[in-house]
């Protein structure tokens, strides 16, 4: 799955222990505790108590960042605030959300061995589908309840390929889940379950107000352990990482995420990342899983999540304009031909596998020597086919926007254009530049034709 996924590589824990012996420093003789006066002990206790209150208050968001040591000392002396109150905030925040967090079970059919039918005829090669069995687990969070139904946000990769879905509540109760819609581009999905007895719905926060260093918690079902919490900080409020939508190792999209060092492992995907007020500020999605890498996890910001969720609730999909080309990056083609370096290519609009570029001398794309960036058309369908785009055409611009890779093609298409818009495609064919203008369609409509 590449660097960016939610694979869990190792459970090894360092068992190294350090024992530090007491050493007398020159000029500083060790004192026994009985040598300390009552006044000194009281002063030390007051100072340390004030420091603890101040640190916990600032770290856990209990203050406005303007507290002073004197104010913390006054609170400690008054007995109105104790360190335990600040620590209790984590318990309160998690308790507010935990009943709304569920485990998602992806069920797939097992294959039974091939046997002869009742009339002595063999069944199709490979056997037949048997009972549904759990294939993978993830997490989700209940975000809405309406007309007796409860609705769950999770990751699209959690439910991908499922023949059946189940949601397991915090009390262990399992309920059948129905897929309302999923979107592989943003890796989000919405499920529906019976809402009977569900009283807690998670409250959404505001991810635009997050600050680096702010404490957060991840809740979910890591490694199938169920109802588990991990805690950390916001390492970076906005991180843009490359992803491979088709999981073929070619990075063909970019995802904006929150980076956190709260532990996110396989099974946490789809669960909530919450702040210390118990509000959901992200949906846990992936981590960097590589040898020597720790504490680098990612969550989709809730402000990016909810517009997608709204579209999935209304239409069961996220409508996007459809160009109708499967492509390979030109630089990747050059690299395959041995012309030096190049970047990894991709294929447009989420196809499963790209075709290999032509072998040297077998009629590859003809382009001027100065053209070194663009995308090669491997196949055109739908609107692109109707407009006359062909195999080996090299697209270099969409409208007036230079296109150097499949990622840039996608970003311009999905970010700047709408279904029904006209688009001008500039391309090279037979060494000559040409262009064509046509209307973008809805991909689902094209597939239904």
């Amino acid at each position: 799955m590449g660097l960016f996924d939610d694979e869990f590589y190792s459970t090894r824990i360092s068992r190294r222990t350090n024992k530090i012996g007491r050493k007398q420093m020159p000029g500083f003789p060790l004192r026994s505790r009985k040598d300390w006066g009552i006044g000194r002990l009281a002063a030390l206790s007051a100072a340390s108590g004030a420091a603890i209150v101040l640190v916990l208050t600032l770290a856990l968001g209990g203050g406005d960042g303007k507290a002073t040591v004197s104010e913390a000392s006054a609170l400690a002396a008054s007995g109105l605030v104790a360190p335990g109150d600040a620590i209790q905030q984590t318990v309160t925040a998690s308790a507010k959300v935990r009943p709304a967090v569920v485990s998602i079970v992806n069920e797939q059919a097992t294959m039974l061995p091939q046997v002869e039918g009742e009339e002595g005829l063999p069944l199709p090669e490979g056997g037949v589908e048997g009972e549904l069995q759990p294939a993978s687990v993830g997490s989700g969070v209940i975000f809405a309840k309406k007309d007796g139904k409860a609705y769950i946000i999770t990751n699209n990769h959690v439910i991908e390929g499922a023949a059946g879905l189940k949601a397991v509540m915090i009390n262990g109760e399992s309920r059948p889940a129905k897929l309302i819609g999923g979107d592989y581009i943003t890796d989000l999905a919405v499920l529906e379950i019976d809402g009977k007895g569900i009283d807690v719905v998670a409250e959404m926060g505001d991810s635009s107000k997050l600050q680096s260093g702010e404490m957060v918690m991840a809740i979910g079902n890591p490694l199938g352990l169920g109802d588990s919490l991990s805690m950390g900080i916001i390492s970076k409020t906005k991180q843009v990482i490359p992803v491979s939508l088709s999981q073929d190792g070619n990075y063909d999209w970019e995802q904006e995420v929150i980076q956190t060092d709260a532990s996110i492992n396989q099974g946490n995907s789809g669960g909530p990342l919450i702040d210390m007020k118990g509000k959901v500020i992200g949906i846990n999605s992936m981590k960097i899983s590589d040898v020597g890498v720790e504490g680098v996890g990612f969550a989709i910001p809730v402000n990016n999540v909810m517009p997608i969720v709204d579209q999935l609730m209304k239409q069961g999909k996220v409508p996007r304009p459809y160009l109708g080309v499967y492509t390979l990056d030109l630089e990747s083609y050059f690299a395959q031909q041995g012309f030096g370096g190049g970047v990894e290519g991709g294929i447009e609009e989420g196809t499963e596998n790209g075709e290999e570029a032509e072998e040297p001398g077998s009629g590859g794309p003809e382009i001027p020597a100065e053209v070194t960036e663009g995308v090669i058309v491997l196949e055109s369908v739908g609107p692109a086919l109707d407009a006359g785009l062909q195999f080996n055409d090299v697209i270099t611009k969409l409208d007036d926007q230079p296109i150097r890779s499949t990622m840039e093609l996608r970003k311009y298409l999905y970010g700047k254009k709408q279904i029904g818009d006209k688009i001008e495609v500039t391309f090279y064919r037979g060494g000559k530049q040409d262009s064509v203008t046509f209307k973008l369609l809805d991909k689902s409509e094209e597939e239904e034709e």
Side-chain angles (χ1 to χ4, degrees):
M1 295 176 65
L3 266 185
F4 301 101
D5 51 42
D6 63 353
E7 291 290 321
F8 183 68
Y9 268 61
S10 174
T11 57
R12 291 182 299 174
I13 300 175
S14 174
R15 300 184 183 278
R16 182 177 55 190
T17 58
N18 294 323
K19 296 182 179 179
I20 303 177
R22 298 177 66 187
K23 185 177 181 180
Q24 184 170 341
M25 300 297 291
F28 294 93
L30 293 175
R31 293 176 177 269
S32 67
R33 186 172 298 177
K34 66 182 181 180
D35 293 331
W36 288 52
I38 297 177
R40 287 186 180 182
L41 288 174
L44 179 61
S45 298
S48 61
I52 291 172
V53 171
L54 176 60
V55 170
L56 288 173
T57 300
L58 294 177
L60 296 178
D64 57 4
K66 299 180 181 178
T68 64
V69 174
S70 60
E71 290 171 341
S73 299
L75 289 172
S78 69
L80 295 176
V81 176
D85 295 332
I87 296 173
Q88 185 67 26
Q89 189 173 4
T90 63
V91 177
T92 303
S94 62
K96 183 178 178 181
V97 183
R98 282 177 58 205
V101 180
V102 298
S103 298
I104 304 298
V105 181
N106 181 323
E107 296 183 322
Q108 298 180 14
T110 57
M111 297 300 293
L112 298 177
Q114 181 179 351
V115 295
E116 291 188 351
E118 294 181 359
E119 299 179 0
L121 298 176
L123 293 171
E125 186 176 352
V128 294
E129 291 187 354
E131 296 181 354
L132 296 181
Q133 297 290 337
S136 61
V137 294
S139 305
V141 58
I142 299 171
F143 72 98
K145 186 178 177 183
K146 182 180 179 181
D147 299 329
K149 302 293 184 181
Y151 296 92
I152 300 168
I153 301 173
T154 187
N155 284 141
N156 187 73
H157 75 260
V158 169
I159 56 89
E160 194 169 20
L165 293 165
K166 288 184 178 178
V168 182
M169 318 304 290
I170 190 173
N171 61 3
E173 179 190 356
S174 178
R175 301 187 183 190
K178 173 186 175 183
L179 177 63
I180 297 299
D183 181 56
Y184 78 101
I185 296 288
T186 56
D187 194 24
L188 293 168
V190 174
L191 307 180
E192 177 188 275
I193 61 173
D194 183 6
K196 184 178 180 180
I198 295 177
D199 300 319
V200 178
V201 173
E203 182 180 356
M204 301 296 115
D206 185 352
S207 53
S208 69
K209 295 182 179 179
L210 292 175
Q211 301 179 65
S212 295
E214 183 175 342
M215 300 192 76
V216 291
M217 286 187 287
I219 310 180
N221 181 22
L223 308 180
L225 298 175
D227 186 33
S228 179
L229 308 173
S230 60
M231 190 167 183
I233 62 169
I234 297 294
S235 304
K236 195 170 183 179
T237 59
K238 181 180 179 180
Q239 183 74 274
V240 178
I241 61 172
V243 294
S244 176
L245 295 176
S246 53
Q247 297 185 1
D248 60 358
N250 295 320
Y251 296 135
D252 47 12
W253 187 244
E254 288 180 335
Q255 182 81 284
E256 179 185 329
V257 291
I258 300 165
Q259 182 180 330
T260 178
D261 69 348
S263 297
I264 297 176
N265 295 300
Q266 188 175 20
N268 272 117
S269 290
L273 186 70
I274 69 170
D275 62 17
M276 291 299 99
K277 295 179 182 178
K279 295 182 179 181
V280 177
I281 48 89
I283 297 298
N284 301 319
S285 181
M286 49 192 154
K287 65 177 286 186
I288 292 183
S289 53
D290 202 0
V291 176
V293 178
E294 294 181 5
V296 185
F298 303 102
I300 307 170
V302 73
N303 289 17
N304 295 357
V305 169
M306 295 315 294
I308 300 299
V309 167
D310 289 342
Q311 290 182 305
L312 294 176
M313 290 286 286
K314 292 175 182 177
Q315 303 183 48
K317 63 177 182 178
V318 178
R320 291 191 177 91
Y322 184 47
L323 185 64
V325 291
Y326 303 114
T327 64
L328 175 71
D329 291 359
L330 188 59
E331 286 185 297
S332 183
Y333 171 79
F334 287 154
Q336 291 180 21
Q337 304 311 307
F339 295 139
V343 299
E344 294 175 325
I347 46 181
E348 198 253 322
E349 294 167 1
T351 54
E352 293 181 357
N353 293 291
E355 299 177 25
E356 293 293 329
E358 295 292 306
E359 294 296 326
S362 62
E366 297 179 33
I367 51 176
E370 65 270 15
V371 178
T372 59
E373 296 176 321
V375 293
I376 305 170
V377 176
L378 301 178
E379 182 183 359
S380 60
V381 296
L385 179 62
D386 294 340
L389 288 176
Q390 300 176 9
F391 171 69
N392 268 345
D393 287 347
V394 177
I395 298 173
T396 56
K397 287 199 301 184
L398 296 180
D399 295 329
D400 294 324
Q401 175 67 39
I403 298 299
R404 295 168 294 184
S405 65
T406 298
M407 184 183 295
E408 290 190 355
L409 184 149
R410 267 203 180 101
K411 290 177 69 175
Y412 180 80
L413 190 64
Y414 298 159
K416 302 297 184 180
K417 308 298 287 188
Q418 301 291 329
I419 297 169
D421 286 353
K422 288 187 177 181
I423 190 168
E424 181 182 10
V425 180
T426 301
F427 62 94
Y428 283 87
R429 179 186 297 167
K432 297 181 179 180
Q433 181 175 292
D434 199 355
S435 65
V436 63
T437 300
F438 55 93
K439 188 171 72 171
L440 297 168
L441 301 180
D442 184 343
K443 184 174 182 179
S444 61
E445 290 178 0
E446 175 63 29
E447 291 175 337
E448 291 169 0
E449 293 180 353

